[in-house]
Amino acid sequence: MKQILPLKTRILSLCGVVFSFLFTFAAIGQPVYLSGNADSTFPVFNQSIYYEGAGSADLGKSHTSVYNTMKHNGVHYFMGNFTHVSPNHGPALVIDTVTNTVLSQYKWKINGIVKTAVPDGTGGFYIGGTFTRIGDSVRRYLARINANGEPAAWRPVVDSTVNVLIKRNDTLFIGGAFKKFSNINRSCFAMYSLNGDTLMNNGGTGAFTLFTSINAMLIIKDTLVYGGAASISAPGSLTKYNFKNKVGIIFTLQYAEYSVIHNIQISKDTSTLICQYFDNGYFTRGANYRTGTYKYLIKIGALPVGGSPYNMSGIYTVGSKTYLVGLFRYITDGFTNFPRRGLVSFNSNTGDITNESLTIDGYTTFVYSTGNKIYLSGRFTTINGADRNNFAVLDTGTLAVSTLNIGPTDNLTAIAFSGNSIFAAGEFKGVYSVKRNGFAAIDATTHTILPWNPIAPHNFIAGRRMFAMGDSLFVLANFANPNSSTYSRLKIYSLSTGNEYTVPDLNFINMQDCVIDGNYLYISGDKRLLRFSLPGLPPDIGWGKDWNNTNALLSVHNPMQIIVDSNRIYTVGDTRFQHTGGLFDPQRGYTAMYDKATGQPLNVSYYEGANSTYDGITFERALLLNGKLYIAGWFSRLNGQVRRKFVCVDAAT
């Protein structure tokens, strides 16, 4: 027995997929005209709200998207292949660690990645990275912000990326890829007096000119240890500098002379230098701090996560242990493989692997520690049994997960503390994410995330089309088969409860498109054009057209999109002519016009490609405007005329 769909009022808001290559028409979605007042559409710009998937095993981003969005009764509904939704705070935030609230203001969003941060001692932070603006204020690669995220007047001029900052007393040590600081030559390194507000003399640029980028720094007494990317003529990619006497210190690691150093740490007793580097692979080595003599090696085993490119993303020393994070499942010391996913700890002086191990559904990219806490970030949704989106705080002794849960939409690259404030920065655009699987509802006035959360099937991939009528939300979406193929189904949810309505006759149609007009739901799928009556959705028997033709000399049409006008229905799609023996001619594009009362075709037009022997045509989407069909798809020539992926044709002829 069918469940009757509620039909309170006929208010329809329909958003089609937006094409970036369409002209700028007044209408963005497919025009559907109804009696009564239609609600407005809300085009997707991916700016006011940020969406990012999580838990992917891939090293790269998961390429999440919002495919469709709709405003209905003061609520924005979003549909896509995202799993978490959060307000867009920007990629750098000041957060109160006690109340778990964001302190930094929306108006001071930073326009790039923050790669390093240190507290300024007064509740604010010094930050460096790839940014050039904070809000509407110019701040190039280096800035100071207060506890509200507002930029201070301090604005030194740096000409390229800042990778690492260290603040010692009143001196700020700055490393990066820059070549000028305040219009004075400085090759990747500068010392700045915060007391005198001046660039300090660091002995000229001679000690640093062979570096193209400094990625990591340590200070041991009056010695700066720094590493990064050195030119081929350099003695090595890690060296020492006495900043008190302004002289370089002769020091050479006894391995990986020309590797790129990403991170350096020192053991608690300062006897062992730990370097994470890339040299035709990712390695972590321990060496004697004074002589550079090799002590141990740790590298990634042969089985990365999900077959993706593996890496080591960061190291951090805590007491007698060093923590290493990255994209891996196995670690080896050259003799034994140790199963570890995303995190491994080892003795800083000996390299001996400890028994600590995470249970995580993704991987980690960032590690930091202070006090008895480890701060991890990466691409995961659960860690040691707790739901955590890309960020978790663990106890150093037990690896138990803390209650602090800021939930950024992407991984962190920098973190710093000042009193109860934490400065979290990186590539994310949102924080305190709310978990959603492909569907989300957001208050149109406050932009807060609403509790409406329909349960998407486990094999949900992405939504394609969405519209509302009364209390019903119609969602056309793609789903995955176990054999990796995809199919499309129409799901119908209650806007008040989020519950799914069951409509058996729709469960077996692999749909290409659907449209509501008047009292009918029009569907194209399985090479057919069908119509169902509202509100109960019984099939309209005898209406429509089945293009699955067994006659070998006739076409097999596949309508991709439906457009409903006042007295006509139009479809665009592709077709093949089938010949004796089951052979097909090349795929052609076609448009069809149907009688609205019967669903029978009134006119069908065909379009050949550049070469009628092998060139296939695909018509994917169309817009009906003033009697013309604006069609987007894959083609370079139609019926002898040059048309590249976009064409306008007369809808009737």
Side-chain angles (χ1 to χ4, degrees):
M1 180 177 181
K2 296 184 178 68
Q3 183 172 352
I4 303 300
L5 305 179
L7 188 60
K8 296 179 180 177
T9 58
R10 290 186 179 173
I11 300 176
L12 173 67
S13 177
L14 174 60
C15 287
V17 177
V18 180
F19 312 121
S20 60
F21 42 82
L22 289 183
F23 294 144
T24 308
F25 300 124
I28 294 177
Q30 172 188 318
V32 178
Y33 303 100
L34 297 177
S35 59
N37 297 320
D39 209 341
S40 62
T41 61
F42 185 73
V44 177
F45 295 112
N46 206 23
Q47 294 294 323
S48 61
I49 304 294
Y50 184 81
Y51 315 86
E52 187 62 64
S56 169
D58 293 330
L59 177 62
K61 293 183 183 300
S62 57
H63 303 292
T64 57
S65 300
V66 175
Y67 286 93
N68 207 304
T69 177
M70 177 194 72
K71 179 185 174 187
H72 183 73
N73 291 344
V75 176
H76 293 313
Y77 293 88
F78 295 83
M79 178 177 65
N81 63 346
F82 55 87
T83 59
H84 290 70
V85 184
S86 71
N88 183 352
H89 292 272
L93 303 164
V94 183
I95 299 165
D96 189 300
T97 59
V98 175
T99 62
N100 290 0
T101 56
V102 177
L103 301 177
S104 48
Q105 302 174 26
Y106 279 95
K107 64 180 294 186
W108 300 117
K109 291 179 183 178
I110 298 172
N111 72 342
I113 297 173
V114 176
K115 306 181 79 172
T116 180
V118 293
D120 65 359
T122 62
F125 301 88
Y126 292 99
I127 60 175
T130 64
F131 56 86
T132 56
R133 301 184 75 88
I134 301 178
D136 58 0
S137 298
V138 175
R139 295 293 187 277
R140 299 182 63 83
Y141 311 110
L142 182 64
R144 183 182 184 182
I145 59 173
N146 64 19
N148 292 321
E150 182 178 359
W154 185 71
R155 58 171 75 195
V157 179
V158 186
D159 69 348
S160 189
T161 303
V162 171
N163 292 323
V164 56
L165 296 173
I166 296 177
K167 181 178 177 290
R168 181 166 124 159
N169 300 324
D170 291 327
T171 301
L172 193 63
F173 296 80
I174 306 158
F178 53 87
K179 296 300 179 183
K180 285 187 178 293
F181 196 108
S182 299
N183 292 320
I184 299 174
N185 291 336
R186 286 292 185 271
S187 184
C188 302
F189 174 74
M191 295 167 58
Y192 196 93
S193 171
L194 299 172
N195 185 32
D197 197 21
T198 58
L199 181 66
M200 297 172 64
N201 182 354
N202 60 1
T205 59
F208 306 96
T209 52
L210 295 178
F211 278 75
T212 59
S213 175
I214 291 178
N215 303 327
M217 298 188 303
L218 284 176
I219 291 179
I220 310 297
K221 297 183 179 179
D222 293 330
T223 298
L224 176 78
V225 184
Y226 59 97
S231 66
I232 195 65
S233 60
S237 51
L238 188 141
T239 190
K240 298 179 181 179
Y241 173 74
N242 187 296
F243 54 85
K244 182 177 181 180
N245 299 325
K246 300 180 178 59
V247 295
I249 299 173
I250 298 175
F251 174 81
T252 304
L253 290 175
Q254 302 302 310
Y255 57 84
E257 289 296 309
Y258 304 111
S259 61
V260 177
I261 302 290
H262 291 289
N263 205 330
I264 51 178
Q265 294 285 295
I266 193 77
S267 63
K268 185 177 181 180
D269 61 4
T270 69
S271 66
T272 304
L273 195 64
I274 304 120
C275 300
Q276 175 212 330
Y277 65 94
F278 179 85
D279 183 27
N280 294 321
Y282 290 90
F283 300 88
T284 293
R285 289 192 188 251
N288 186 289
Y289 169 68
R290 300 193 179 279
T291 66
T293 305
Y294 164 79
K295 297 180 72 172
Y296 59 82
L297 170 123
I298 296 172
K299 61 181 180 179
I300 295 173
L303 296 174
V305 176
S308 302
Y310 48 82
N311 75 356
M312 294 180 179
S313 303
I315 56 174
Y316 204 87
T317 298
V318 184
S320 62
K321 291 185 295 187
T322 296
Y323 287 88
L324 165 66
V325 298
L327 178 61
F328 53 78
R329 280 184 176 170
Y330 284 81
I331 287 291
T332 178
D333 59 4
F335 303 97
T336 306
N337 285 345
F338 297 88
R340 297 288 187 273
R341 182 161 182 165
L343 178 141
V344 64
S345 62
F346 55 90
N347 185 287
S348 304
N349 285 318
T350 67
D352 293 337
I353 308 297
T354 72
N355 292 325
E356 292 179 320
S357 182
L358 291 180
T359 302
I360 187 171
D361 67 349
Y363 60 90
T364 53
T365 60
F366 173 86
V367 60
Y368 181 84
S369 182
T370 183
N372 62 346
K373 301 296 181 184
I374 302 171
Y375 297 82
L376 288 178
S377 184
R379 302 280 294 166
F380 51 82
T381 58
T382 62
I383 185 167
N384 287 355
D387 289 332
R388 292 292 182 270
N389 184 36
N390 300 330
F391 176 80
V393 184
L394 310 179
D395 182 87
T396 54
T398 64
L399 295 189
V401 182
S402 164
T403 57
L404 181 62
N405 184 19
I406 64 173
T409 57
D410 211 325
N411 54 291
L412 307 184
T413 54
I415 194 168
F417 296 85
S418 180
N420 290 331
S421 296
I422 178 176
F423 183 82
E427 300 182 51
F428 60 86
K429 298 293 192 300
V431 73
Y432 297 130
S433 302
V434 178
K435 199 165 188 176
R436 294 289 184 267
N437 185 16
F439 306 103
I442 298 171
D443 187 278
T445 302
T446 65
H447 287 180
T448 55
I449 300 164
L450 299 176
W452 182 82
N453 185 23
I455 300 174
H458 71 280
N459 59 341
F460 172 87
I461 299 176
R464 295 172 49 196
R465 188 183 286 279
M466 179 172 65
F467 46 93
M469 176 171 277
D471 186 57
S472 299
L473 181 71
F474 294 77
V475 176
L476 178 62
N478 291 338
F479 301 91
N481 271 330
N483 62 2
S484 298
S485 63
T486 61
Y487 62 93
S488 299
R489 291 286 189 272
L490 182 68
K491 298 288 184 178
I492 307 174
Y493 300 96
S494 168
L495 288 172
S496 57
T497 66
N499 294 332
E500 181 181 351
Y501 295 115
T502 301
V503 186
D505 286 334
L506 300 180
N507 289 340
F508 305 100
I509 302 174
N510 189 15
M511 300 181 188
Q512 295 290 349
D513 196 17
C514 59
V515 169
I516 285 182
D517 181 79
N519 294 321
Y520 296 103
L521 170 69
Y522 296 87
I523 290 174
S524 66
D526 295 331
K527 301 178 178 62
R528 292 179 292 170
L529 184 65
L530 305 171
R531 187 168 77 173
F532 294 79
S533 299
L534 292 169
L537 292 177
D540 190 351
I541 305 298
W543 187 96
K545 175 66 177 177
D546 187 348
W547 290 105
N548 287 285
N549 211 308
T550 56
N551 189 324
L553 299 179
L554 294 180
S555 299
V556 179
H557 291 3
N558 184 31
M560 296 293 293
Q561 185 181 356
I562 307 171
I563 299 175
V564 180
D565 204 354
S566 56
N567 60 354
R568 294 286 186 267
I569 295 174
Y570 303 87
T571 64
V572 299
D574 58 67
T575 183
R576 292 176 185 268
F577 273 78
Q578 188 175 24
H579 295 283
T580 304
L583 300 177
F584 286 88
D585 272 349
Q587 181 174 298
R588 301 191 300 173
Y590 87 99
T591 62
M593 181 174 67
Y594 305 80
D595 181 81
K596 195 171 184 178
T598 65
Q600 295 301 306
L602 301 174
N603 180 59
V604 182
S605 301
Y606 301 99
Y607 301 87
E608 300 282 358
N611 188 304
S612 60
T613 303
Y614 59 82
D615 193 26
I617 300 300
T618 299
F619 286 169
E620 294 183 337
R621 292 290 180 265
L623 179 72
L624 178 66
L625 192 65
N626 298 327
K628 294 182 174 58
L629 283 172
Y630 296 86
I631 305 171
W634 293 97
F635 47 84
S636 60
R637 185 178 293 270
L638 295 176
N639 293 352
Q641 300 184 47
V642 176
R643 294 292 186 273
R644 298 190 183 278
K645 299 184 180 180
F646 180 81
V647 68
C648 176
V649 302
D650 188 284
T653 64

